[in-house]
Amino acid sequence: MSSCPCGSQIEYSECCAQLHQGNKTAEKAVELMKARYSAFVKEEIDFIDSTHVPGTVDFNRDEAAEWAKNSIWKKLEIVKTENGEPSDDNGIVEFKAFYDDQKGNQYIHHEIAKFKKMDGKWFYEDGEIPDTTPFTRATPKVGRNEPCPCGSGKKFKKCCGA
């Protein structure tokens, strides 16, 4: 017996396996997100495919199967959820999936996933990668030995940089 990959501390057979086998449906968007992560870990590609909004054309089963098979899945971290309760029709789950490739390189898949409820069942609609542009300064960096920009006439390190 092993704990479910979703991080619930419940046995897999009593947790996400119930969704993967069709014995249960997700009540919340975050529950479907966790089951989809576990499906990648367990290489349950049929589940991943079946939980896309019907008619999705940009899902590639072969690529998903390859990614699932060739990754060493470490953990799932739920960053934030919006809506996605049983009474909602839409939900957003921001998550990070930590994994290694076969060479031992470490990766984090960070996504803001959108979910939609149709006929009482949650589906993955699409997702976006959060902005990862590096921080840029609005003003030039002041060196320690340069005059302080406040106009005191002192060196930066002896004034505002102290």
Side-chain angles (χ1 to χ4, degrees):
M1 293 290 188
S2 62
S3 293
C4 191
C6 77
S8 66
Q9 304 301 319
I10 299 172
E11 294 294 323
Y12 170 70
S13 62
E14 298 299 317
C15 191
C16 290
Q18 294 294 311
L19 282 85
H20 296 167
Q21 297 165 359
N23 299 333
K24 180 182 168 189
T25 58
E27 294 180 20
K28 299 179 179 184
V30 69
E31 187 179 353
L32 179 59
M33 177 63 247
K34 290 179 176 184
R36 285 174 57 85
Y37 170 81
S38 293
F40 273 100
V41 176
K42 298 292 187 177
E43 298 179 39
E44 294 283 349
I45 305 305
D46 288 340
F47 178 79
I48 296 166
D49 189 16
S50 70
T51 56
H52 275 85
V53 167
T56 299
V57 294
D58 62 348
F59 175 69
N60 185 315
R61 284 181 60 91
D62 294 336
E63 285 180 8
E66 188 74 20
W67 188 27
K69 180 181 177 182
N70 292 319
S71 297
I72 302 161
W73 300 95
K74 299 294 187 177
K75 71 174 182 172
L76 174 67
E77 178 185 311
I78 303 298
V79 177
K80 180 172 68 169
T81 62
E82 293 178 27
N83 302 321
E85 295 296 319
S87 60
D88 295 326
D89 289 331
N90 294 292
I92 296 173
V93 179
E94 182 177 353
F95 70 94
K96 293 179 182 179
F98 296 78
Y99 67 99
D100 296 351
D101 65 13
Q102 295 295 323
K103 296 177 183 175
N105 297 311
Q106 298 177 341
Y107 296 94
I108 301 172
H109 176 79
H110 185 184
E111 181 178 329
I112 300 172
K114 296 176 186 172
F115 293 86
K116 184 175 194 159
K117 190 189 269 185
M118 301 168 63
D119 297 324
K121 188 175 176 184
W122 285 105
F123 292 93
Y124 172 83
E125 188 171 18
D126 65 9
E128 63 183 58
I129 305 300
D131 185 18
T132 57
T133 55
F135 171 78
T136 54
R137 295 179 189 277
T139 59
K141 183 177 178 180
V142 178
R144 293 175 28 95
N145 290 317
E146 293 180 28
C148 192
C150 76
S152 68
K154 297 179 181 177
K155 288 185 178 182
F156 178 70
K157 68 182 178 185
K158 297 281 186 176
C159 190
C160 294

